Amino acid sequence: MATPHLQGEKGDYAPVVLMPGDPLRAKFIAENYLENVQCVNKIRGMLGYTGTYQGIPVSVQGSGMGQPSIGIYSYELYHFFDVQSIIRIGTAGGIAPEVKLRDIILGQASCTNSNFAMQYQLQGIYSPIASFKLLKSAFDTAQELNLPVHVGNLFSSDMFYDDSNSLEQWTKMHVLGIEMESGALYMNAMRAGKEALCICTVSDCPLKHEFTSAEERQTGFTDMMKLALETVKKL
């Protein structure tokens, strides 16, 4: 069934969906890596595609920026389109000292300043974590591809411009990187009994004042794309 944000019917999406924030990155992946591609979503310009990668069905769907946005798209994919696994392929700011520009982070868990978990009425602080199955598969695949990766905590923030300048505080707890989607994605997956993982390329190191260009963020992080697609083959 179509939703307010995704057109199409069950079966239009593969069981595994790669989810970049930028819909143009979704278009780039579909055009350069997938075969037999069909565009399955154009609502609000949030492009989605389904095709095959070396014979394996896979979809790629933009999520937009922030936890509210990925919260909507991942919820609808899990609940209305029978998607089993979502692998976010996005960017993060590297904040741990050992994390360098263009490194890859596998988000084992997600710290967050979001109130997304309040809807569950839990008597405590929930810890959103990745699917171990997806995490192990991605880590093993990275080893096979000789791609060095960092595995650990992400900080999923609701703020891009943070008046409190809190990043140095998060480094004290050895958080690897900051992004804006993993918390809601991991919570939606756990609540639905599904699977999720965030694979992030370090697009900037804000504490070191190092940055990549918008064009590179859109089409240049091909190691992350290859890692995600090769991970899908093992599922």
Side-chain angles (χ1 to χ4, degrees):
M1 58 173 291
T3 71
H5 311 93
L6 297 171
Q7 63 196 72
E9 304 293 332
K10 285 185 179 181
D12 286 347
Y13 284 93
V16 181
V17 175
L18 306 186
M19 183 163 276
D22 186 348
L24 294 181
R25 191 183 302 139
K27 184 174 186 288
F28 177 85
I29 294 168
E31 292 178 346
N32 289 275
Y33 291 97
L34 302 186
E35 299 177 340
N36 308 309
V37 177
Q38 292 185 332
C39 182
V40 294
N41 191 68
K42 294 182 179 179
I43 295 176
R44 293 174 176 257
M46 198 57 67
L47 301 173
Y49 301 87
T50 295
T52 58
Y53 177 73
Q54 298 183 11
I56 306 297
V58 61
S59 295
V60 55
Q61 170 64 54
S63 73
M65 292 187 291
Q67 297 189 76
S69 188
I70 199 171
I72 290 170
Y73 287 103
S74 60
Y75 185 96
E76 292 183 357
L77 289 170
Y78 285 138
H79 289 273
F80 303 123
F81 292 92
D82 290 341
V83 169
Q84 176 62 31
S85 303
I86 295 176
I87 301 176
R88 165 167 151 69
I89 44 174
T91 57
I95 60 174
E98 71 273 20
V99 175
K100 301 179 180 63
L101 212 60
R102 302 179 184 85
D103 282 357
I104 295 175
I105 298 173
L106 304 181
Q108 184 176 17
S110 178
C111 309
T112 184
N113 56 16
S114 171
N115 287 326
F116 195 88
M118 289 185 65
Q119 63 184 302
Y120 307 124
Q121 302 182 46
L122 302 169
Q123 301 303 306
I125 298 174
Y126 184 74
S127 299
I129 60 172
S131 156
F132 179 74
K133 174 184 174 182
L134 294 183
L135 179 63
K136 184 177 187 304
S137 180
F139 181 79
D140 291 345
T141 302
Q143 298 292 99
E144 294 170 8
L145 296 175
N146 198 30
L147 294 175
V149 295
H150 305 274
V151 181
N153 254 331
L154 292 168
F155 170 45
S156 192
S157 178
D158 270 353
M159 296 167 290
F160 188 86
Y161 299 103
D162 179 4
D163 198 57
S164 67
N165 296 316
S166 65
L167 291 186
E168 290 184 358
Q169 302 300 319
W170 289 102
T171 63
K172 294 178 182 179
M173 300 305 293
H174 204 71
V175 170
L176 299 179
I178 177 173
E179 49 83 75
M180 301 183 71
E181 288 80 27
S182 59
L185 174 60
Y186 286 3
M187 283 187 259
N188 270 351
M190 295 299 289
R191 181 66 180 90
K194 303 294 182 73
E195 297 176 324
L197 174 67
C198 287
I199 301 176
C200 294
T201 299
V202 177
S203 61
D204 61 284
C205 295
L207 297 177
K208 301 175 186 176
H209 304 288
E210 298 173 349
F211 306 92
T212 58
S213 68
E215 182 180 359
E216 184 175 3
R217 291 193 297 273
Q218 181 179 310
T219 62
F221 297 146
T222 54
D223 283 348
M224 169 180 65
M225 301 171 192
K226 182 73 171 179
L227 174 57
L229 288 165
E230 288 295 314
T231 296
V232 170
K233 288 170 55 178
K234 292 182 168 60
L235 302 179

